[in-house]
C-alpha cells in the first residue's frame, strides 16, 4: 500500500515538473494568473501537432511531440480525483472524438520517430558542443532551447523555450542585441544593392528623354495606363465637386438623404479624391462602392488573426463588434454543422430581398497581407469577385500588422515559434471554420496566392489535416509555391542557407524577422515607402512592374511587409527545409528520383502511358488522399521565385491520382505578382477564377448566379 502511494506521489511530482516546463509562467510565481496559465494537458490538433491547454482553457503554441506525449502520459498516471483537476477543458463530443483519434495516431508517430531520434541524438549533441566551443559561454543556454532531433526532414521540431526565467531573459536579450545590428546590416546591403541596380535603368531613362522619347512608351500597357490615369483624374474631380455640393447643401440646411437614395448604381463609392496611400483595405473598398468589416478569429493554438469581409453596404448591414469578436479555439464544431445559409446569423444582416451569395475565402502570400487583393480599384481580385456576386472573405495569417495571442506577449519567444506548418494546420482551418460558421454553407471556394498556396498544400496533405478538403469546394492556386525556382540560388538567399540554425538566430533573432521593416512602414510617407518597397522587393525577387498600373504601384506595397517570425523565414531560406529540398512536401532525394523518372518518360512514351494515373505506380508517393478537393492552377510562366510548371507536371504524370485538376493555365509572360496586379489579370485570371468557383460550387441553390457565369448554369 505504501509503495502504491509513493508511485502515485512520484507521478504527481513528475507531472507537476513537466507541466511547469510547458506553462506560461514558472510555478514559483505564486499568484492567480500563474495558476490559471498552468499546463493541464496536451491537445492534439493533428497527430504531429500538439498544443498545450491551460487551466483557464487558453492555449499555448506547439511543443515538441515527445514533450506533449510525456505530459499526457504522466497525467494518466495520477490518481483519479487529482487527474480530474487536469482534465482537458474542451470540447464538444465531435471534438473529443477527434482528440482521441489524433492522440492515438500521435502515439504511433512518436514510437516511429523515436527510432530516428535515437540515431541522430549523438549528431545533435556534437553539433551543440561545437557551437558552444565556437560561440562561447553565452550560447550554452541554447542547449535547452534547441529543438530535439528532427522527426521530419521537411518540418523539424521548433525550439522549446519554456516559461520566463533569468537565463531565458538573458538569452532573448542577447539575440535581440545581435539580431538588431546584424539584420539591419543585412537589410542595408539589400537596400544598397537595389539602389545600385537601379542606376543603369535611371541613365537609360534619362537618355531616352534627352532624345525626346518617353521611356514609358515601351511598356506593354502604356496606352491603357494613360486611359486609366485620365479616368481617375476625372473621377477625382467629380468627387471633389460633389463633395463641395453636398457640403453647401448641408450648410444651407438641406437634407441629402433623398439625393443619395436617388442613385441607381448598384455600387456607390463613399470615398474618393486623391489617394492618401493609407494601410486600410476598407478605405479602398469604399472607393469602389463596397465596404469591409473585420472579424477576430482564434486559432487552435491561441493566436488571434483577422478576417475581413467585403460587402455591399446597400444590401448588408455590418455585424456588431460583439459578433465580430473571437470565439473559442475549436473549429468545425457540432453547432456549426447544424447551421444552414438560411438560418445563419450572417443571413439576418442582409436585406430581405437580397439574394444569397456563395462564400469565397482569399489567402495572401509571404510578407503580405490580404490587402494585396484590394489595390487595383475595380480590377482588384477581391472587389471583382464581390461585384460578380460572391460573398468575399479575406484571411490574414498570424501576427500580421499586430501580433496577438490569448496569453503570449510580443517579447515572448514562444509567440514567434512557428513556421509554414502551423500556418497551414492552425490558421487556415480557423479561417475556413469561421467563414462557414458565419455563412452556414457546408463548403467554400478557396483562392490563394504564393505562400497561401503553400500552407494549403501542406494542410491538405494526408499526414496533416486531409479532412480539411471536405470543407473546400475548389482550391484555386495562383502562382503556386510548391517547388523552388532558380531565384533560390541568388547570393543573398545562399547566405541564409549556408549559415547554421544557431547562427541564423544570431543574425535574425528568435522573434520577428527584421522588425525594423515595420518601423519604416509606420514612419515613412506612403509614396516614399511604396517606391522603396518596390525597389527592394524587385531586387530580391527579380520581378518588374512592366504589366502593372504604375500609378497604383505605391498602393500595392503599402500593405507589405507584415510581421513574420524568424523561424518561418528560416523554414523558407535556412539550411534544413525548403531551400535545401526545393520542395515543400518532398525531400531532395525524392525530387531527384522524380526528375529521373520524368526524364525516362520523356524518352519512352510507353512508360508514361503505363504509369499515368496508376495507383500502384506513381501514386505510391502521393501527397494527398481521397479527401483532396478539386484544384485549379494559374502558373506564371516567367516566375523565377517558384516553379509552378513542375507542380503541374507532377499532376499530369499521375503522381496524385486522388487530385482532380479542374483547370490549369500557364501564362507565359507573367511574373510572380502579375497574377494579382497585372493590368490584364482580371481577363487572364480573375474571370476564370470566377467561373471555376461557380462550376464546382456545392449547395449553391438559391444563390445569385455570378455575373458572367449565366452560360454555365
Amino acid at each position: 500500500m505504501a509503495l502504491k502511494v509513493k508511485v502515485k506521489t512520484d507521478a504527481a511530482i513528475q507531472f507537476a515538473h513537466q507541466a511547469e516546463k510547458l506553462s506560461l509562467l514558472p510555478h514559483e510565481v505564486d499568484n492567480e494568473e500563474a495558476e490559471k496559465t498552468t499546463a493541464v494537458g496536451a491537445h492534439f490538433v493533428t497527430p504531429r501537432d500538439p498544443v498545450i491547454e491551460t487551466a483557464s482553457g487558453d492555449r499555448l503554441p506547439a511543443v515538441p511531440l515527445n514533450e506533449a506525449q510525456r505530459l499526457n502520459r504522466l497525467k494518466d498516471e495520477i490518481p483519479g480525483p487529482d487527474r480530474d483537476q487536469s482534465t482537458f477543458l474542451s470540447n464538444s463530443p465531435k471534438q473529443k472524438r477527434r482528440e482521441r483519434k489524433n492522440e492515438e495516431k500521435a502515439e504511433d508517430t512518436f514510437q516511429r520517430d523515436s527510432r530516428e531520434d535515437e540515431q541522430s541524438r549523438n549528431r545533435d549533441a556534437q553539433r551543440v558542443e561545437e557551437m558552444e566551443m565556437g560561440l562561447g559561454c553565452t550560447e550554452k543556454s541554447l542547449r535547452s532551447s534547441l529543438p530535439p532531433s528532427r522527426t521530419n526532414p521537411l518540418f523539424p521540431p521548433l525550439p522549446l523555450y519554456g516559461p520566463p526565467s533569468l537565463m531565458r531573459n538573458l538569452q532573448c536579450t542577447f539575440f535581440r542585441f545581435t539580431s538588431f545590428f546584424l539584420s539591419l546590416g543585412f537589410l542595408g546591403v539589400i537596400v544598397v544593392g537595389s539602389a545600385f541596380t537601379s542606376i543603369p535603368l535611371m541613365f537609360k531613362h534619362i537618355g531616352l528623354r534627352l532624345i525626346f522619347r518617353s521611356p514609358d512608351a515601351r511598356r506593354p500597357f502604356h496606352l491603357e495606363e494613360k486611359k486609366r490615369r485620365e479616368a481617375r483624374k476625372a473621377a477625382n474631380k467629380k468627387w471633389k465637386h460633389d463633395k463641395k455640393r453636398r457640403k453647401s447643401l448641408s450648410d444651407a440646411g438641406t437634407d441629402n438623404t433623398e439625393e443619395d437614395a436617388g442613385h441607381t448604381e448598384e455600387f456607390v463609392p463613399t470615398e474618393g479624391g486623391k489617394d492618401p496611400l493609407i494601410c486600410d483595405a476598407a478605405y479602398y473598398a469604399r472607393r469602389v462602392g463596397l465596404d469591409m468589416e473585420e472579424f477576430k478569429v482564434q486559432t487552435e493554438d491561441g493566436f488571434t488573426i483577422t478576417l475581413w469581409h467585403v460587402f455591399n453596404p446597400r444590401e448588408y448591414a455590418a455585424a456588431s463588434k460583439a459578433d465580430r469578436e473571437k470565439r473559442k479555439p475549436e473549429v468545425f464544431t457540432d453547432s456549426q454543422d447544424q447551421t444552414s445559409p438560411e438560418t445563419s446569423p450572417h443571413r439576418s444582416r442582409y436585406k430581405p430581398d437580397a439574394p444569397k451569395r456563395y462564400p469565397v475565402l482569399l489567402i495572401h502570400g509571404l510578407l503580405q497581407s490580404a490587402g494585396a487583393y484590394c489595390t487595383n480599384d475595380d480590377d482588384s481580385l477581391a472587389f471583382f469577385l464581390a461585384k460578380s456576386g460572391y460573398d468575399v472573405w479575406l484571411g490574414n495569417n498570424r501576427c500580421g500588422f499586430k501580433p496577438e495571442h490569448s496569453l503570449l506577449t510580443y517579447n515572448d519567444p514562444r509567440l514567434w515559434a512557428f513556421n509554414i506548418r502551423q500556418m497551414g494546420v492552425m490558421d487556415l482551418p480557423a479561417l475556413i471554420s469561421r467563414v462557414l460558421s458565419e455563412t452556414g454553407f457546408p463548403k467554400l471556394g478557396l483562392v490563394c496566392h504564393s505562400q497561401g498556396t503553400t500552407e494549403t498544400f501542406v494542410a491538405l496533405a494526408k499526414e496533416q489535416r486531409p479532412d480539411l478538403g471536405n470543407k473546400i469546394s475548389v482550391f484555386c492556386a495562383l502562382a503556386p509555391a510548391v517547388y523552388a525556382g532558380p531565384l533560390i540560388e541568388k547570393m543573398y538567399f545562399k547566405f541564409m542557407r549556408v549559415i547554421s540554425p544557431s547562427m541564423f538566430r544570431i543574425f535574425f533573432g528568435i522573434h520577428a524577422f527584421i522588425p525594423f521593416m515595420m518601423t519604416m512602414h509606420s514612419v515613412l510617407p506612403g509614396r516614399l515607402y511604396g517606391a522603396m518597397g518596390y525597389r527592394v522587393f524587385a531586387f530580391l525577387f527579380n520581378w518588374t512592374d512592366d504589366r502593372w498600373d504604375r500609378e497604383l504601384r505605391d498602393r500595392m506595397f503599402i500593405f507589405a511587409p507584415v510581421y513574420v517570425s524568424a523561424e518561418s523565414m528560416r523554414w523558407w531560406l535556412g539550411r534544413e527545409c525548403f531551400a535545401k529540398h526545393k520542395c515543400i512536401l518532398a525531400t531532395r532525394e525524392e525530387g531527384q528520383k522524380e526528375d529521373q523518372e520524368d526524364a525516362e518518360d520523356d524518352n519512352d512514351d510507353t512508360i508514361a502511358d503505363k504509369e499515368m494515373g496508376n495507383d500502384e505506380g506513381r501514386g505510391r508517393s502521393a501527397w494527398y488522399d481521397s479527401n483532396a478537393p478539386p484544384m485549379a492552377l494559374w502558373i506564371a510562366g516567367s516566375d523565377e521565385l517558384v516553379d509552378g510548371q513542375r507542380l503541374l507536371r507532377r499532376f499530369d504524370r499521375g503522381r496524385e491520382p486522388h487530385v482532380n485538376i479542374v483547370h490549369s493555365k500557364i501564362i507565359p509572360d507573367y511574373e510572380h505578382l502579375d497574377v494579382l496586379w497585372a493590368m490584364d489579370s482580371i481577363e487572364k485570371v480573375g474571370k476564370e477564377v470566377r467561373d471555376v468557383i461557380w462550376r464546382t460550387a456545392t449547395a449553391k441553390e438559391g444563390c445569385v448566379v455570378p455575373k458572367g457565369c449565366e452560360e454555365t448554369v
Side-chain angles (χ1 to χ4, degrees):
M1 183 68 180
L3 179 61
K4 186 180 293 187
V5 171
K6 183 178 185 302
V7 170
K8 292 180 178 180
T9 303
D10 289 344
I13 293 173
Q14 290 180 46
F15 174 79
H17 285 312
Q18 183 69 5
E20 180 179 17
K21 187 177 179 181
L22 302 176
S23 297
L24 176 68
L25 298 172
H27 285 184
E28 58 259 26
V29 178
D30 187 16
N31 57 34
E32 186 177 352
E33 183 181 4
E35 292 179 6
K36 288 182 177 179
T37 57
T38 296
V40 297
H43 171 85
F44 284 84
V45 176
T46 77
R48 287 184 180 271
D49 294 283
V51 297
I52 297 303
E53 274 197 330
T54 65
S56 63
D58 291 313
R59 303 276 179 85
L60 287 169
V63 295
L65 188 62
N66 57 342
E67 299 289 351
Q69 286 280 357
R70 176 174 168 78
L71 182 68
N72 283 359
R73 192 159 50 244
L74 291 171
K75 179 175 71 72
D76 290 339
E77 295 175 5
I78 300 175
D82 295 328
R83 185 174 65 247
D84 292 342
Q85 296 175 13
S86 60
T87 301
F88 294 160
L89 303 171
S90 55
N91 294 326
S92 65
K94 183 177 180 181
Q95 288 288 116
K96 290 179 179 178
R97 289 193 299 271
R98 185 185 300 142
E99 169 76 14
R100 285 195 298 269
K101 183 178 179 181
N102 284 336
E103 193 165 357
E104 289 170 2
K105 289 182 179 179
E107 182 64 34
D108 295 337
T109 300
F110 178 74
Q111 295 297 335
R112 184 173 62 252
D113 292 342
S114 294
R115 292 190 294 271
E116 184 180 343
D117 286 346
E118 183 66 29
Q119 294 171 359
S120 60
R121 189 171 292 116
N122 291 334
R123 294 196 300 270
D124 287 343
Q126 182 179 357
R127 174 169 58 88
V128 173
E129 184 176 348
E130 291 173 353
M131 179 194 68
E132 290 174 353
M133 291 174 63
L135 299 177
C137 60
T138 310
E139 284 298 294
K140 290 184 179 179
S141 62
L142 267 179
R143 183 190 295 273
S144 60
S145 64
L146 278 174
S149 303
R150 64 190 187 184
T151 58
N152 187 312
L154 293 160
F155 302 104
L158 296 166
L160 176 64
Y161 292 105
S165 65
L166 176 61
M167 190 59 69
R168 200 198 77 172
N169 293 340
L170 289 174
Q171 177 186 340
C172 291
T173 302
F174 171 77
F175 280 127
R176 280 188 176 280
F177 179 80
T178 60
S179 63
F180 176 80
F181 292 102
L182 294 175
S183 66
L184 202 57
F186 179 83
L187 181 62
V189 170
I190 299 299
V191 171
V192 171
S194 66
F196 270 106
T197 55
S198 302
I199 292 175
L201 182 63
M202 180 183 68
F203 279 110
K204 195 172 186 178
H205 282 195
I206 292 174
L208 288 171
R209 293 191 184 280
L210 289 175
I211 59 175
F212 304 103
R213 292 176 59 186
S214 171
D216 295 335
R218 299 174 301 165
R219 293 171 61 80
F221 296 103
H222 175 56
L223 295 179
E224 180 65 21
E225 281 186 280
K226 289 178 64 177
K227 180 180 176 182
R228 293 189 184 186
R229 185 161 54 245
E230 293 302 320
R232 277 192 292 269
K233 285 182 180 178
N236 291 345
K237 186 175 181 180
K238 182 179 182 300
W239 174 266
K240 188 176 180 180
H241 176 267
D242 291 346
K243 187 176 180 180
K244 284 184 178 180
R245 183 159 53 86
R246 286 194 297 268
K247 186 176 185 304
S248 62
L249 290 173
S250 178
D251 292 343
T254 306
D255 190 4
N256 295 326
T257 306
E258 293 184 6
E259 182 183 357
D260 294 338
H263 284 291
T264 58
E265 299 92 341
E266 185 178 1
F267 304 99
V268 180
T270 54
E271 297 281 3
K274 185 179 179 180
D275 184 0
L277 287 179
I278 56 176
C279 187
D280 181 5
Y283 168 80
Y284 292 105
R286 293 191 290 271
R287 285 180 71 98
V288 296
L290 298 167
D291 208 341
M292 193 178 290
E293 57 183 344
E294 180 177 280
F295 288 75
K296 299 284 189 178
V297 178
Q298 185 171 192
T299 67
E300 289 173 283
D301 56 349
F303 281 85
T304 300
I305 56 181
T306 56
L307 176 66
W308 301 341
H309 176 225
V310 181
F311 62 90
N312 183 353
R314 306 194 82 181
E315 65 177 28
Y316 175 91
S320 66
K321 184 178 180 181
D323 289 339
R324 290 185 280 114
E325 284 298 317
K326 65 181 180 182
R327 299 173 181 171
K328 292 182 178 180
E330 287 84 32
V331 299
F332 308 122
T333 59
D334 295 329
S335 60
Q336 181 176 323
D337 293 340
Q338 299 168 5
T339 307
S340 70
E342 290 76 17
T343 61
S344 68
H346 184 67
R347 182 61 191 166
S348 65
R349 302 179 194 120
Y350 279 92
K351 290 184 177 180
D353 58 342
K356 290 190 300 182
R357 295 173 178 269
Y358 192 76
V360 178
L361 174 63
L362 281 65
I363 305 293
H364 59 83
L366 178 64
L367 293 171
Q368 290 186 315
S369 69
Y373 290 105
C374 308
T375 59
N376 282 19
D377 294 330
D378 281 324
D379 287 322
S380 305
L381 183 59
F383 301 155
F384 168 76
L385 293 176
K387 289 190 174 185
S388 294
Y390 288 109
D391 189 15
V392 175
W393 300 75
L394 303 169
N396 290 283
N397 282 318
R398 56 186 60 198
C399 291
F401 289 112
K402 184 182 178 182
E404 289 186 67
H405 190 273
S406 58
L407 294 174
L408 302 176
T409 61
Y410 178 91
N411 292 323
D412 195 317
R414 289 173 291 183
L415 181 75
W416 305 99
F418 67 85
N419 57 34
I420 194 69
R421 182 192 182 97
Q422 283 70 42
M423 288 188 277
V425 171
M426 309 287 182
D427 293 7
L428 185 62
L431 292 167
I432 292 176
S433 178
R434 185 62 182 268
V435 172
L436 296 182
S437 174
E438 290 291 333
T439 62
F441 280 81
K443 295 186 179 184
L444 51 72
L446 180 64
V447 182
C448 302
H449 174 247
S450 190
Q451 180 184 260
T453 69
T454 307
E455 60 188 84
T456 305
F457 280 119
V458 168
L460 293 174
K462 55 189 178 185
E463 295 86 4
Q464 313 297 333
R465 297 192 80 156
D467 57 324
L468 188 63
N470 299 319
K471 304 295 182 180
I472 302 170
S473 58
V474 67
F475 167 34
C476 297
L478 313 183
V482 173
Y483 291 98
L487 204 66
I488 200 72
E489 300 300 331
K490 284 278 189 177
M491 177 190 66
Y492 35 84
F493 293 143
K494 272 189 174 181
F495 167 76
M496 294 185 176
R497 189 162 75 246
V498 167
I499 61 178
S500 68
S502 302
M503 191 59 70
F504 193 101
R505 293 184 177 103
I506 290 173
F507 257 86
F508 301 105
I510 56 176
H511 294 81
F513 180 75
I514 315 184
F516 185 74
M517 293 189 295
M518 298 303 297
T519 303
M520 291 195 298
H521 184 276
S522 61
V523 171
L524 293 179
R527 299 200 183 280
L528 175 60
Y529 179 82
M532 285 184 60
Y534 166 71
R535 290 296 174 198
V536 169
F537 283 108
F539 173 74
L540 280 173
F541 303 120
N542 208 29
W543 59 52
T544 69
D545 64 352
D546 289 350
R547 309 185 74 86
W548 309 348
D549 189 337
R550 182 171 283 177
E551 194 172 72
L552 300 181
R553 191 182 68 187
D554 293 342
R555 185 193 298 178
M556 296 169 181
F557 286 90
I558 213 71
F559 290 100
V562 295
Y563 282 108
V564 177
S565 73
E567 282 294 331
S568 182
M569 294 303 293
R570 190 173 72 84
W571 186 89
W572 279 111
L573 301 172
R575 63 159 54 175
E576 295 177 300
C577 306
F578 181 74
K580 173 185 176 180
H581 298 287
K582 296 180 173 56
C583 181
I584 64 170
L585 288 170
T587 63
R588 182 170 53 185
E589 293 73 24
E590 291 168 339
Q592 291 170 349
K593 180 181 178 183
E594 193 174 303
D595 288 339
Q596 183 180 357
E597 290 175 349
D598 288 344
E600 292 174 355
D601 288 355
D602 292 338
N603 295 327
D604 188 348
D605 293 337
T606 60
I607 295 177
D609 294 338
K610 181 180 178 181
E611 298 285 2
M612 290 296 180
N614 185 354
D615 287 4
E616 298 300 323
R618 298 295 169 78
R620 286 196 304 266
S621 59
W623 299 337
Y624 305 102
D625 60 18
S626 57
N627 290 296
M631 297 183 187
L633 310 176
W634 284 264
I635 295 166
S638 299
D639 192 345
E640 295 186 9
L641 186 59
V642 297
D643 189 351
Q645 297 186 54
R646 185 173 179 181
L647 174 64
L648 185 59
R649 188 168 72 240
R650 177 180 178 84
F651 291 128
D652 290 342
R653 297 293 172 101
R655 289 191 172 87
E656 295 296 339
H658 296 292
V659 175
N660 177 22
I661 301 297
V662 296
H663 181 90
S664 64
K665 181 179 184 179
I666 300 174
I667 311 172
D669 298 328
Y670 267 28
E671 297 173 335
H672 193 67
L673 282 170
D674 290 344
V675 291
L676 297 184
W677 293 344
M679 294 184 69
D680 59 348
S681 63
I682 294 300
E683 289 295 325
K684 291 190 174 182
V685 179
K687 290 183 178 180
E688 294 177 5
V689 170
R690 175 198 64 192
D691 296 345
V692 167
I693 294 173
W694 185 250
R695 192 170 70 243
T696 56
T698 59
K700 59 185 179 183
E701 296 78 11
C703 292
V704 60
V705 178
K707 297 173 184 176
C709 294
E710 294 84 358
E711 296 180 0
T712 65
V713 177

